[in-house]
Amino acid sequence: MNYKIDYKVKDIRLAPELNNIKIGGRIEKQMETFFYERVTSDFAKNYICAEAESKHSERIDDETVVGMFSGEFWGKWAIGACRVARYQGNKELTNFLKASAYRIIDTADSDGYIGSYKKKENVFPSDPDEAFKAVGRPLKWNWNLWCRKYTLWGLLEIYLLTEDKKILDAAYKAAIQEIVMLNKLNAHTADTGTFEGLPSGSTMKPMLILYRLTGDKRCLDFAQKTADDWDRADGKMPNIVRNSIDMKPVHEWYPNSEKWAKAYEMMSCFDGLLELYRITGDKKYLDAGKNIHKLLLEHEQNILFSVGFNDMFSNAAKTQNALTEPCDVIHWMRLCYELYKLTGELEYIDSFELAFYNAFLSSSFADGKWGARCVRSWGRPFVATMQSGMKYNHCCVNNIPRGYINALEAFVSLNNDDIFVNLYSDYVCKINGYHVIISGSLFKDGNVKVFINSNMATVVHFRIPKWSKATTINDKKYGCDREAVLPISEGENVFYIKFDMKAEIRDFPYSVEAFDECDHRVTRFLCSSSNTSVSKEHYATTPHSTLLYGPLLLSKSKLIGNTRDEMFGSESVFGKGFSAEVTPIDYPGFAGNAYNVKFVGEGGFETVLCDYANASNRWFEDDAEAFNVLL
């Protein structure tokens, strides 16, 4: 694709082309099943996509004073579907996406507006008192610009896939209509929408993609105006650039962060800021992105290795009963990966790896038909249907393909002629004359084989994960090194890697607050829609431990024979000083990784555990207590 505007700052890590990548093993089966059920099947096209398309012609999101968000679903679905089409080289899906884009374009007004709101200038938050009268909740909502953001981005992704100029022209016309309208209203994105304008502000990313494609400076000005409004001396909310630069924990920026600090949307804004850094070279935006990663890692990373609590930043690191939305883990992974591409710093892959193998894979259901609204530390996933009146679409479920694609890109990267190997489960890729095959038994015993066929002599950089304290590569020990840099010759090269899979017991490092039973951290954890609430009697009010085996969080689960008493009635291992010995086992009928675990020490015992992702990646309709990571 020939962009009219080049980056001032280019990534120092480049990913393989999607059609030259293949993930393997059980992850491949889960991913391909999801892609089929949600993206490529006739059902996905005729029901999921068709339902999402219809909201642009119906325009019912502003039927009440509380604006809804059914207009977001088509764009989310289209973005993921475009990336699946690239990955699979799927021409049939590509042609379908082009036709779908044409149908969306057919709903446009003469001025270019495409949206799910009848009143295109209805962009400001609803009056809480009027909202209470309408829906029984004092909401300050408006999702108009958020929905338009996803429609714009979906059209742009389809244009990048098909290079159909009609699609680019429609996207451009819709974007300029929005810019002109906001200027007429004298409105900043922070004045509009919901959650202090964070959803609206995330429009920065597709606007910058459009700027690079067209060269129209109005798109850059829109992004710069938004960024400037986030860097204010007067501290006006949300001020995400200034507050990040100042290294303030998000939950301390303004009062009641659980009511405004929307995790997914805020991280989407940082995605835009990193793109603005690439285009302008203003290092302030990179510094803000790096700082927010540090802040979230310290104050918001939960025990499932995502960030936030139920899609809000409210000091989630201190909340033991974790509840995390797939949209959050996907955008945490995305933030980490974008920072890695820009800096090459391995700490970002450390965060990415733990998020992907645990919270993300647990949110994508094994049958591929649906996914979690939130994943929990125990019980069963929080599942939601009929979101914003939709039967076949859901915000998190529609985003899941993007999470898989980000993971595919993160395994191996390139800088000049150097190869960088970052993740180590089964994987194959071709990149700039190199053929890389990763195989072995990482999740069983830490043994990995990396085969590289190269068309030249160069070097390979092997990331050594933080969790591996004693790594060997071709019999050479690397101790606590974070990276091994080894020569490769022209032709075939083989590296045998042994990672230290010693189990790590992690005692929860904070006191467990005795929350009031009406506190959001209790009520939101316990309750959900679709009969997937969990039992209050098992809500953990005392500190517990978790067990990490390599990059995997382990869990008790009824799927491997743990009884309810074993899952919830046994005494905690917290503070006992145990060590843990983990032995991989095969458990009949279980698709994941199962282990016999011996807790060694006074009062020690043995039990069977499994990887958290496969303990919880399904809809447990018959049983509220299906798994527990708290030991």
Coordinates of all heavy atoms in Angstrom, one line a residue, residues 20-54:
N20 N 2.0 -15.5 5.9 CA 3.3 -16.3 6.1 C 3.4 -16.8 7.5 O 4.5 -17.2 7.9 CB 4.5 -15.5 5.7 CG 4.6 -15.3 4.2 OD1 4.2 -16.1 3.4 ND2 5.1 -14.1 3.8
I21 N 2.3 -16.9 8.2 CA 2.4 -17.3 9.6 C 1.4 -18.4 9.9 O 0.3 -18.5 9.2 CB 1.9 -16.1 10.6 CG1 2.8 -14.9 10.4 CG2 1.9 -16.5 12.0 CD1 2.3 -13.7 11.1
K22 N 1.8 -19.3 10.8 CA 0.8 -20.4 11.2 C 1.1 -20.7 12.6 O 2.2 -21.1 12.9 CB 0.9 -21.6 10.3 CG -0.1 -22.7 10.6 CD -0.1 -23.8 9.6 CE -1.1 -24.9 9.8 NZ -2.5 -24.4 9.8
I23 N 0.1 -20.6 13.5 CA 0.3 -21.0 14.8 C -0.1 -22.5 14.9 O -0.8 -23.0 14.0 CB -0.6 -20.2 15.8 CG1 -0.1 -20.3 17.2 CG2 -2.1 -20.6 15.7 CD1 -0.7 -19.2 18.1
G24 N 0.3 -23.2 15.9 CA 0.1 -24.7 15.9 C -0.5 -25.2 17.2 O -0.8 -24.4 18.1
G25 N -0.7 -26.5 17.3 CA -1.1 -27.1 18.5 C -2.6 -26.8 18.9 O -3.4 -26.5 18.0
R26 N -2.9 -26.9 20.2 CA -4.2 -26.7 20.6 C -4.7 -25.3 20.4 O -5.9 -25.0 20.3 CB -4.3 -27.1 22.1 CG -4.1 -28.6 22.4 CD -3.9 -28.9 23.8 NE -3.9 -30.3 24.0 CZ -3.4 -30.9 25.1 NH1 -2.9 -30.2 26.1 NH2 -3.4 -32.2 25.3
I27 N -3.8 -24.3 20.5 CA -4.1 -22.9 20.3 C -4.6 -22.7 18.8 O -5.6 -22.1 18.6 CB -3.0 -22.0 20.5 CG1 -2.6 -22.1 22.0 CG2 -3.3 -20.5 20.2 CD1 -1.3 -21.3 22.4
E28 N -4.0 -23.4 17.9 CA -4.5 -23.3 16.5 C -5.9 -23.8 16.4 O -6.7 -23.2 15.7 CB -3.5 -24.1 15.6 CG -4.0 -24.1 14.1 CD -3.3 -25.1 13.3 OE1 -2.7 -26.1 13.8 OE2 -3.3 -25.0 12.0
K29 N -6.2 -25.0 17.0 CA -7.5 -25.6 16.9 C -8.6 -24.6 17.5 O -9.6 -24.4 16.9 CB -7.6 -26.9 17.6 CG -8.9 -27.6 17.5 CD -8.9 -28.9 18.3 CE -10.3 -29.6 18.2 NZ -10.3 -30.9 18.9
Q30 N -8.2 -24.0 18.6 CA -9.2 -23.1 19.3 C -9.4 -21.9 18.4 O -10.5 -21.4 18.2 CB -8.7 -22.7 20.6 CG -9.6 -21.8 21.4 CD -9.2 -21.6 22.8 OE1 -8.6 -22.5 23.5 NE2 -9.4 -20.4 23.4
M31 N -8.3 -21.3 17.9 CA -8.4 -20.1 17.0 C -9.1 -20.4 15.7 O -10.0 -19.6 15.4 CB -7.0 -19.6 16.7 CG -6.9 -18.4 15.9 SD -5.2 -17.9 15.4 CE -4.9 -19.2 14.1
E32 N -8.8 -21.4 15.0 CA -9.4 -21.7 13.8 C -10.9 -22.0 13.9 O -11.7 -21.7 13.1 CB -8.7 -22.8 13.0 CG -7.3 -22.5 12.6 CD -7.3 -21.5 11.4 OE1 -8.3 -21.1 10.9 OE2 -6.2 -21.2 11.0
T33 N -11.3 -22.7 15.0 CA -12.7 -22.9 15.3 C -13.4 -21.6 15.5 O -14.5 -21.4 15.0 CB -12.8 -23.8 16.6 OG1 -12.2 -25.1 16.3 CG2 -14.3 -24.1 16.9
F34 N -12.8 -20.7 16.3 CA -13.4 -19.4 16.5 C -13.5 -18.6 15.2 O -14.6 -18.0 14.9 CB -12.6 -18.6 17.5 CG -13.3 -17.4 18.0 CD1 -14.1 -17.4 19.1 CD2 -13.3 -16.2 17.3 CE1 -14.8 -16.3 19.6 CE2 -13.9 -15.0 17.8 CZ -14.7 -15.1 18.9
F35 N -12.5 -18.6 14.3 CA -12.5 -17.9 13.1 C -13.7 -18.5 12.2 O -14.4 -17.7 11.5 CB -11.2 -18.0 12.3 CG -10.1 -17.2 12.9 CD1 -8.8 -17.3 12.4 CD2 -10.3 -16.3 13.9 CE1 -7.8 -16.6 12.9 CE2 -9.3 -15.5 14.4 CZ -8.0 -15.7 13.9
Y36 N -13.8 -19.8 12.2 CA -14.9 -20.3 11.3 C -16.3 -20.0 11.9 O -17.1 -19.4 11.1 CB -14.8 -21.9 11.3 CG -15.9 -22.5 10.6 CD1 -16.0 -22.5 9.2 CD2 -17.0 -23.1 11.3 CE1 -17.1 -23.0 8.6 CE2 -18.1 -23.6 10.7 CZ -18.2 -23.6 9.3 OH -19.3 -24.1 8.7
E37 N -16.5 -20.2 13.1 CA -17.8 -19.9 13.7 C -18.2 -18.5 13.7 O -19.4 -18.1 13.4 CB -17.9 -20.5 15.1 CG -17.7 -22.0 15.3 CD -18.9 -22.7 14.8 OE1 -20.0 -22.1 14.5 OE2 -18.8 -24.0 14.6
R38 N -17.3 -17.6 13.9 CA -17.6 -16.2 14.0 C -17.3 -15.3 12.8 O -17.7 -14.1 12.8 CB -16.8 -15.6 15.3 CG -17.2 -16.2 16.6 CD -18.5 -15.9 17.1 NE -18.8 -14.4 17.0 CZ -20.0 -13.9 17.3 NH1 -21.0 -14.7 17.6 NH2 -20.2 -12.6 17.2
V39 N -16.5 -15.8 11.9 CA -16.1 -14.9 10.8 C -16.3 -15.5 9.4 O -16.9 -14.9 8.5 CB -14.5 -14.6 10.9 CG1 -14.1 -13.7 9.7 CG2 -14.2 -13.9 12.2
T40 N -15.9 -16.8 9.1 CA -15.9 -17.3 7.7 C -17.1 -18.1 7.4 O -17.4 -18.3 6.2 CB -14.6 -18.1 7.5 OG1 -14.6 -19.3 8.3 CG2 -13.4 -17.3 7.7
S41 N -17.9 -18.6 8.3 CA -19.0 -19.5 8.0 C -20.1 -18.8 7.4 O -20.2 -17.5 7.5 CB -19.5 -20.2 9.3 OG -20.0 -19.3 10.2
D42 N -21.1 -19.5 6.8 CA -22.3 -18.9 6.3 C -23.1 -18.2 7.4 O -23.7 -17.1 7.2 CB -23.1 -19.9 5.5 CG -22.5 -20.4 4.2 OD1 -21.6 -19.7 3.7 OD2 -22.9 -21.4 3.7
F43 N -23.1 -18.8 8.5 CA -23.8 -18.3 9.7 C -23.2 -16.9 10.0 O -23.9 -15.9 10.3 CB -23.8 -19.2 10.9 CG -24.5 -18.6 12.1 CD1 -25.8 -18.7 12.2 CD2 -23.7 -17.9 13.1 CE1 -26.5 -18.2 13.3 CE2 -24.4 -17.4 14.2 CZ -25.8 -17.5 14.3
A44 N -21.9 -16.9 10.1 CA -21.2 -15.6 10.5 C -21.5 -14.5 9.5 O -21.8 -13.4 9.9 CB -19.7 -15.8 10.5
K45 N -21.6 -14.8 8.2 CA -21.9 -13.8 7.2 C -23.3 -13.4 7.1 O -23.7 -12.2 7.1 CB -21.4 -14.3 5.8 CG -19.9 -14.6 5.7 CD -19.6 -15.3 4.4 CE -18.1 -15.6 4.3 NZ -17.8 -16.5 3.1
N46 N -24.2 -14.4 7.2 CA -25.6 -14.2 7.0 C -26.4 -13.7 8.2 O -27.5 -13.2 8.1 CB -26.3 -15.5 6.4 CG -25.8 -15.8 5.1 OD1 -25.3 -15.0 4.3 ND2 -25.8 -17.1 4.8
Y47 N -25.8 -14.0 9.4 CA -26.5 -13.6 10.6 C -25.7 -12.6 11.5 O -26.2 -11.5 11.8 CB -26.8 -14.8 11.5 CG -27.9 -15.7 10.9 CD1 -27.6 -16.7 10.0 CD2 -29.2 -15.5 11.2 CE1 -28.6 -17.5 9.4 CE2 -30.2 -16.2 10.6 CZ -29.9 -17.2 9.7 OH -30.9 -18.0 9.1
I48 N -24.4 -12.9 11.8 CA -23.6 -12.0 12.6 C -23.3 -10.7 11.9 O -23.7 -9.6 12.4 CB -22.3 -12.7 13.0 CG1 -22.6 -14.0 13.8 CG2 -21.4 -11.7 13.8 CD1 -21.3 -14.8 14.1
C49 N -22.8 -10.8 10.7 CA -22.5 -9.6 9.9 C -23.7 -8.8 9.5 O -23.8 -7.6 9.6 CB -21.6 -9.9 8.7 SG -21.2 -8.5 7.8
A50 N -24.7 -9.6 9.1 CA -26.0 -9.0 8.6 C -26.7 -8.2 9.7 O -27.2 -7.1 9.5 CB -26.9 -10.0 8.0
E51 N -26.7 -8.8 10.9 CA -27.3 -8.0 12.0 C -26.5 -6.8 12.3 O -27.2 -5.7 12.5 CB -27.3 -8.9 13.3 CG -27.9 -8.2 14.5 CD -27.8 -9.1 15.7 OE1 -26.6 -9.5 16.1 OE2 -28.8 -9.3 16.4
A52 N -25.2 -6.8 12.3 CA -24.4 -5.6 12.6 C -24.6 -4.6 11.5 O -24.7 -3.4 11.8 CB -23.0 -6.0 12.7
E53 N -24.7 -5.0 10.2 CA -24.9 -4.0 9.1 C -26.2 -3.3 9.3 O -26.3 -2.1 9.1 CB -24.9 -4.8 7.8 CG -23.6 -5.3 7.3 CD -23.8 -6.0 5.9 OE1 -24.9 -5.9 5.4 OE2 -22.9 -6.7 5.5
S54 N -27.2 -4.0 9.7 CA -28.6 -3.4 9.8 C -28.7 -2.2 10.6 O -29.6 -1.4 10.4 CB -29.6 -4.5 10.2 OG -29.4 -4.8 11.6

